[in-house]
Amino acid sequence: MDLAIWDYPPAEFLASGFTSGAVENPFRITRHRPEQCAAMLVEDEVDVALMPTMLALQASNAIDVLPSVGLVSWRYPYARLVWQGGLHDFPETIAYDRRVAQERIATRIVLHEHYQVDPTFVPYDARAPQALLDTEEDAALLVGPNVPSLQPEPFTMDIGREWYELSNYPMVWGLYVTKRDQSTDEMIEALIASGEAADDNRDVWVQAQETTASLNEFYREDLRTGLDKLAIASLTEFRKYLFYYDVTEDVPDLPLVYLDEDEEEEEEEEEEEH
């Protein structure tokens, strides 16, 4: 089986149960930009993809979301809005790479809902984060694996932290997804085991990375691998906002699938209730 994950360190942590050898790995893992992972699933180049949450919800009628594991965080140094003015002088225009649709809508939501401002987002084609700082726009939305290493002098806003301050929930950035009816127990069990092993071996993994003090804190305290109740509640809020902001035609379903034994337990519980 083929699995596509993001070429971001947080995604590498999510899959570290496999790459460390802590659990058995049934996948051939490849790494790509987030939107490329989604495209590869659509084109049947992989069996499972770590897909940006927004894209998964937009395609909810055609995909299945594998349960219990995902890329979740309370803050997110890999998506930052940078400008000169600070909170008393919000930007009127924001430069962004048009490929980062999820981070753009999350930024739009938090700016409107939390600060009552509605700047214009100006798309650029395949523009690296550093290059976005050199545009004529007032601000730049920086997204990517190298963003934490950039040291821009202007004001910086962490989009993950802003979502938490708005919703009181961690942001769910990515979900493991298959095409509809293509998931198997083997896939689900392996991915859940890898996520659990990542959590169990978090300290060892973090110590092996070359991180700043801030990133070290992010990996130890803010990054999560599980779709717990708080993550599901966050997904519910995000689904509503996608509808309110005309990203989806209605509030999309979250098409979670489960292990066969979990489904049997649910059916037994329902029978007992009746």
Side-chain angles (χ1 to χ4, degrees):
M1 294 184 293
D2 292 296
L3 168 66
I5 66 171
W6 305 352
D7 57 354
Y8 283 35
E12 203 65 47
F13 172 70
L14 187 63
S16 64
F18 293 141
T19 56
S20 68
V23 297
E24 185 175 349
N25 179 15
F27 297 105
R28 291 178 293 272
I29 301 176
T30 56
R31 296 154 179 82
H32 314 273
R33 286 185 56 89
E35 75 282 354
Q36 289 175 315
C37 292
M40 292 176 74
L41 183 71
V42 170
E43 295 167 4
D44 292 318
E45 295 179 13
V46 295
D47 302 289
V48 187
L50 182 62
M51 184 178 288
T53 301
M54 188 189 80
L55 297 183
L57 292 172
Q58 286 178 306
S60 62
N61 292 329
I63 56 98
D64 285 328
V65 175
L66 306 188
S68 303
V69 59
L71 186 57
V72 183
S73 71
W74 293 96
R75 63 186 182 93
Y76 197 61
Y78 296 90
R80 298 158 63 190
L81 183 65
V82 176
W83 76 97
Q84 293 281 352
L87 294 179
H88 300 292
D89 186 17
F90 282 97
E92 295 184 4
T93 58
I94 298 173
Y96 76 102
D97 184 325
R98 68 171 70 248
R99 297 173 294 182
V100 298
Q102 174 167 274
E103 291 81 359
R104 184 193 70 82
I105 192 64
T107 304
R108 181 184 171 201
I109 290 168
V110 298
L111 288 177
H112 178 82
E113 301 292 336
H114 209 188
Y115 299 103
Q116 292 75 54
V117 295
D118 294 286
T120 299
F121 287 81
V122 181
Y124 287 80
D125 290 322
R127 189 71 70 98
Q130 186 68 51
L132 288 171
L133 293 170
D134 297 327
T135 68
E136 296 181 356
E137 314 312 329
D138 300 329
L141 177 58
L142 309 182
V143 179
N146 298 323
V147 169
S149 65
L150 300 178
Q151 299 294 329
E153 294 182 2
F155 184 81
T156 298
M157 177 181 285
D158 181 313
I159 303 305
R161 184 188 295 275
E162 291 295 322
W163 172 260
Y164 159 63
E165 292 183 357
L166 173 66
S167 68
N168 292 318
Y169 300 121
M171 182 65 179
V172 182
W173 298 100
L175 300 165
Y176 280 129
V177 169
T178 67
K179 281 192 170 180
R180 178 59 56 89
D181 299 326
Q182 297 300 307
S183 66
T184 66
D185 282 3
E186 182 185 10
M187 291 176 181
I188 296 171
E189 290 170 346
L191 290 167
I192 291 174
S194 180
E196 291 175 347
D199 277 333
D200 291 342
N201 295 284
R202 183 186 298 265
D203 287 344
V204 174
W205 188 87
V206 173
Q207 289 172 6
Q209 312 305 306
E210 295 183 5
T211 63
T212 61
S214 178
L215 270 183
N216 189 290
E217 180 183 358
F218 166 72
Y219 286 121
R220 291 183 184 277
E221 305 294 335
D222 298 306
L223 183 59
R224 294 290 175 263
T225 65
L227 294 182
D228 58 11
K229 291 181 179 179
L230 291 178
I232 295 298
S234 181
L235 284 169
T236 299
E237 290 297 304
F238 194 48
R239 289 157 57 200
K240 293 176 182 177
Y241 278 123
L242 291 181
F243 171 62
Y244 295 153
Y245 282 77
D246 297 321
V247 177
T248 57
E249 294 182 358
D250 51 22
V251 178
D253 292 330
L254 181 63
L256 281 167
V257 295
Y258 297 95
L259 292 166
D260 289 341
E261 60 185 34
D262 292 337
E263 292 179 349
E264 291 174 2
E265 289 176 3
E266 288 183 2
E267 290 174 0
E268 290 175 359
E269 289 174 359
E270 289 176 0
E271 290 175 359
E272 291 174 0
E273 290 175 358
H274 294 293

XYZ file of all heavy atoms in Angstrom, residues 227-269:
366
model
N -7.435 12.265 17.034
C -8.719 12.935 16.850
C -9.582 12.664 18.079
O -10.487 11.836 18.060
C -9.411 12.430 15.580
C -8.733 12.750 14.247
C -9.569 12.214 13.088
C -8.506 14.247 14.089
N -9.270 13.376 19.165
C -10.030 13.209 20.389
C -11.274 14.095 20.349
O -11.605 14.688 19.318
C -9.165 13.504 21.605
C -8.591 14.923 21.576
O -9.027 15.746 20.729
O -7.698 15.222 22.398
N -11.974 14.206 21.471
C -13.219 14.976 21.503
C -12.988 16.448 21.181
O -13.810 17.091 20.522
C -13.889 14.825 22.880
C -14.433 13.432 23.144
C -15.108 13.347 24.496
C -15.678 11.952 24.739
N -16.335 11.840 26.064
N -11.871 16.999 21.654
C -11.582 18.408 21.357
C -11.329 18.614 19.864
O -11.778 19.606 19.275
C -10.378 18.875 22.166
C -10.580 19.007 23.677
C -9.280 19.421 24.342
C -11.679 20.017 23.985
N -10.608 17.677 19.239
C -10.344 17.780 17.803
C -11.630 17.650 17.003
O -11.846 18.381 16.025
C -9.334 16.720 17.381
N -12.503 16.729 17.395
C -13.778 16.573 16.694
C -14.633 17.832 16.856
O -15.293 18.283 15.906
C -14.533 15.333 17.217
C -13.744 14.052 16.887
C -15.928 15.264 16.622
C -13.555 13.798 15.400
N -14.623 18.417 18.046
C -15.359 19.664 18.255
C -14.796 20.781 17.382
O -15.543 21.589 16.824
C -15.298 20.067 19.728
N -13.471 20.821 17.234
C -12.842 21.813 16.361
C -13.271 21.606 14.908
O -13.562 22.566 14.190
C -11.318 21.716 16.479
O -10.685 22.680 15.657
N -13.323 20.348 14.493
C -13.777 20.042 13.133
C -15.211 20.505 12.919
O -15.557 20.997 11.832
C -13.665 18.542 12.871
C -12.257 18.014 12.603
C -12.256 16.485 12.622
C -11.733 18.522 11.265
N -16.047 20.350 13.925
C -17.432 20.815 13.816
C -17.477 22.319 13.595
O -18.222 22.814 12.732
C -18.221 20.434 15.082
O -18.221 19.009 15.215
C -19.653 20.935 15.006
N -16.670 23.072 14.347
C -16.621 24.521 14.170
C -16.096 24.887 12.780
O -16.650 25.762 12.105
C -15.727 25.149 15.243
C -16.302 25.120 16.639
C -17.571 25.933 16.748
O -17.537 27.141 16.420
O -18.609 25.365 17.124
N -15.038 24.216 12.363
C -14.435 24.517 11.059
C -15.420 24.217 9.936
O -15.522 24.969 8.965
C -13.156 23.706 10.893
C -12.281 24.155 9.759
C -11.958 25.488 9.590
C -11.760 23.233 8.857
C -11.139 25.910 8.538
C -10.954 23.646 7.807
C -10.642 24.982 7.650
N -16.175 23.115 10.042
C -17.169 22.771 9.030
C -18.214 23.874 8.900
O -18.627 24.238 7.795
C -17.840 21.444 9.386
C -16.940 20.233 9.222
C -17.407 19.065 10.070
N -18.786 18.677 9.782
C -19.549 17.978 10.613
N -19.066 17.599 11.784
N -20.762 17.653 10.278
N -18.645 24.415 10.018
C -19.630 25.499 9.986
C -19.060 26.737 9.310
O -19.722 27.369 8.473
C -20.085 25.841 11.410
C -20.884 24.744 12.093
C -21.205 25.135 13.532
C -21.959 24.041 14.258
N -22.203 24.397 15.686
N -17.828 27.074 9.655
C -17.216 28.259 9.055
C -17.024 28.087 7.546
O -17.196 29.046 6.785
C -15.873 28.567 9.720
C -16.002 29.322 11.019
C -15.463 28.806 12.203
C -16.638 30.555 11.078
C -15.568 29.497 13.404
C -16.746 31.254 12.282
C -16.207 30.716 13.435
O -16.318 31.406 14.612
N -16.659 26.891 7.098
C -16.499 26.676 5.661
C -17.807 26.949 4.928
O -17.810 27.475 3.807
C -16.026 25.245 5.385
C -14.605 24.900 5.825
C -14.281 23.458 5.448
C -13.575 25.851 5.214
N -18.922 26.607 5.540
C -20.224 26.909 4.944
C -20.517 28.408 5.002
O -20.904 29.018 3.998
C -21.312 26.119 5.664
C -22.703 26.512 5.274
C -23.145 26.359 3.962
C -23.586 27.035 6.217
C -24.444 26.724 3.596
C -24.871 27.397 5.855
C -25.304 27.246 4.549
N -20.301 29.011 6.158
C -20.594 30.442 6.308
C -19.762 31.293 5.350
O -20.221 32.340 4.874
C -20.316 30.897 7.743
C -21.205 30.268 8.790
C -20.765 30.125 10.106
C -22.484 29.803 8.483
C -21.563 29.531 11.085
C -23.283 29.208 9.450
C -22.822 29.083 10.727
O -23.610 28.498 11.689
N -18.548 30.840 5.056
C -17.648 31.603 4.190
C -17.688 31.117 2.740
O -16.791 31.420 1.954
C -16.227 31.547 4.747
C -16.025 32.487 5.923
C -16.517 32.162 7.188
C -15.375 33.696 5.774
C -16.363 33.011 8.259
C -15.209 34.563 6.843
C -15.714 34.213 8.087
O -15.555 35.083 9.155
N -18.742 30.371 2.389
C -18.998 29.950 1.003
C -17.903 29.080 0.415
O -17.711 29.057 -0.809
C -19.225 31.173 0.093
C -20.463 31.963 0.493
O -21.468 31.328 0.850
O -20.405 33.209 0.443
N -17.192 28.348 1.271
C -16.203 27.398 0.768
C -16.889 26.100 0.370
O -16.481 25.426 -0.576
C -15.114 27.139 1.822
C -14.109 26.094 1.339
C -14.384 28.449 2.152
N -17.940 25.747 1.107
C -18.750 24.568 0.790
C -20.204 25.005 0.624
O -20.621 26.035 1.167
C -18.657 23.502 1.890
O -19.059 24.077 3.142
C -17.235 22.982 2.009
N -20.984 24.211 -0.109
C -22.377 24.556 -0.379
C -23.276 24.319 0.826
O -24.366 24.883 0.918
C -22.892 23.759 -1.579
C -22.210 24.135 -2.892
C -22.772 23.379 -4.069
O -23.661 22.527 -3.863
O -22.337 23.649 -5.207
N -22.853 23.463 1.718
C -23.583 23.223 2.958
C -22.567 22.859 4.035
O -21.354 22.882 3.784
C -24.622 22.112 2.794
C -24.032 20.852 2.180
O -22.792 20.678 2.260
O -24.789 20.044 1.626
N -23.036 22.570 5.244
C -22.118 22.115 6.291
C -21.750 20.674 5.973
O -22.598 19.785 6.037
C -22.757 22.213 7.682
C -21.791 21.689 8.744
C -23.157 23.652 7.989
N -20.503 20.418 5.573
C -20.162 19.079 5.081
C -20.139 18.036 6.188
O -19.875 18.338 7.355
C -18.769 19.273 4.480
C -18.198 20.438 5.220
C -19.357 21.336 5.527
N -20.443 16.805 5.795
C -20.307 15.691 6.725
C -18.836 15.412 6.987
O -17.970 15.766 6.184
C -20.950 14.428 6.144
C -22.463 14.549 6.050
O -23.039 15.271 6.883
O -23.041 13.937 5.141
N -18.578 14.770 8.113
C -17.242 14.247 8.398
C -17.324 12.733 8.222
O -17.799 12.027 9.125
C -16.794 14.602 9.813
C -15.400 14.122 10.216
C -14.338 14.777 9.355
C -15.141 14.386 11.691
N -16.905 12.216 7.060
C -17.155 10.802 6.738
C -16.153 9.849 7.396
O -15.351 9.183 6.739
C -17.026 10.782 5.211
C -16.039 11.875 4.903
C -16.284 12.945 5.933
N -16.231 9.761 8.725
C -15.341 8.862 9.458
C -15.754 7.410 9.241
O -16.938 7.078 9.246
C -15.380 9.182 10.948
C -14.555 10.383 11.434
C -14.971 10.745 12.849
C -13.067 10.072 11.380
N -14.773 6.538 9.079
C -15.015 5.095 9.054
C -14.378 4.492 10.299
O -13.556 5.119 10.960
C -14.432 4.439 7.781
C -15.149 4.950 6.556
C -12.926 4.684 7.674
N -14.750 3.266 10.606
C -14.264 2.638 11.826
C -13.839 1.206 11.544
O -14.177 0.631 10.511
C -15.359 2.656 12.908
C -15.759 4.040 13.311
C -16.862 4.656 12.714
C -15.033 4.752 14.257
C -17.230 5.942 13.070
C -15.395 6.038 14.617
C -16.496 6.636 14.023
O -16.841 7.905 14.370
N -13.109 0.661 12.479
C -12.769 -0.755 12.404
C -14.043 -1.587 12.481
O -15.014 -1.205 13.126
C -11.843 -1.136 13.555
C -10.434 -0.532 13.527
C -9.757 -0.723 14.876
C -9.601 -1.159 12.421
N -14.041 -2.739 11.827
C -15.221 -3.603 11.823
C -15.667 -3.943 13.239
O -16.851 -3.948 13.556
C -14.930 -4.896 11.048
C -14.821 -4.646 9.555
O -15.321 -3.597 9.102
O -14.245 -5.497 8.849
N -14.718 -4.208 14.137
C -15.071 -4.591 15.503
C -15.714 -3.435 16.248
O -16.609 -3.621 17.071
C -13.839 -5.085 16.258
C -12.723 -4.058 16.377
C -11.473 -4.638 17.019
O -11.195 -5.832 16.797
O -10.787 -3.882 17.732
N -15.270 -2.182 15.929
C -15.888 -1.014 16.558
C -17.328 -0.852 16.088
O -18.220 -0.495 16.861
C -15.096 0.252 16.232
C -13.729 0.252 16.890
O -13.571 -0.464 17.892
O -12.826 0.945 16.392
N -17.575 -1.109 14.778
C -18.921 -1.018 14.254
C -19.825 -2.072 14.906
O -20.983 -1.802 15.226
C -18.897 -1.197 12.737
C -18.225 -0.033 12.006
C -18.178 -0.244 10.501
O -18.469 -1.370 10.059
O -17.865 0.714 9.789
N -19.281 -3.281 15.105
C -20.062 -4.333 15.739
C -20.435 -3.959 17.171
O -21.548 -4.187 17.624
C -19.270 -5.645 15.727
C -19.111 -6.245 14.328
C -18.198 -7.469 14.336
O -17.743 -7.839 15.436
O -17.954 -8.029 13.263
N -19.485 -3.340 17.905
C -19.758 -2.925 19.271
C -20.853 -1.866 19.309
O -21.735 -1.883 20.169
C -18.480 -2.391 19.921
C -17.452 -3.472 20.232
C -16.173 -2.894 20.794
O -16.122 -1.661 20.986
O -15.234 -3.666 21.057
N -20.793 -0.909 18.339
C -21.820 0.126 18.291
C -23.195 -0.478 18.026
O -24.193 -0.090 18.619
C -21.472 1.158 17.209
C -20.305 2.052 17.584
C -20.042 3.113 16.522
O -20.804 3.153 15.541
O -19.099 3.888 16.694
N -23.251 -1.449 17.091
C -24.528 -2.085 16.781
C -25.066 -2.834 18.001
O -26.269 -2.797 18.282
C -24.344 -3.048 15.602
C -24.090 -2.326 14.277
C -23.770 -3.295 13.158
O -23.741 -4.516 13.429
O -23.560 -2.834 12.011
N -24.189 -3.509 18.746
C -24.624 -4.240 19.940
C -25.163 -3.280 21.003
O -26.169 -3.562 21.662
C -23.452 -5.056 20.499
C -23.056 -6.232 19.621
C -21.811 -6.943 20.136
O -21.275 -6.475 21.163
O -21.374 -7.917 19.509
N -24.494 -2.131 21.149
C -24.948 -1.149 22.128
C -26.320 -0.604 21.747
O -27.186 -0.401 22.594
C -23.938 -0.006 22.232
C -22.631 -0.403 22.911
C -21.591 0.709 22.881
O -21.911 1.774 22.308
O -20.490 0.514 23.418
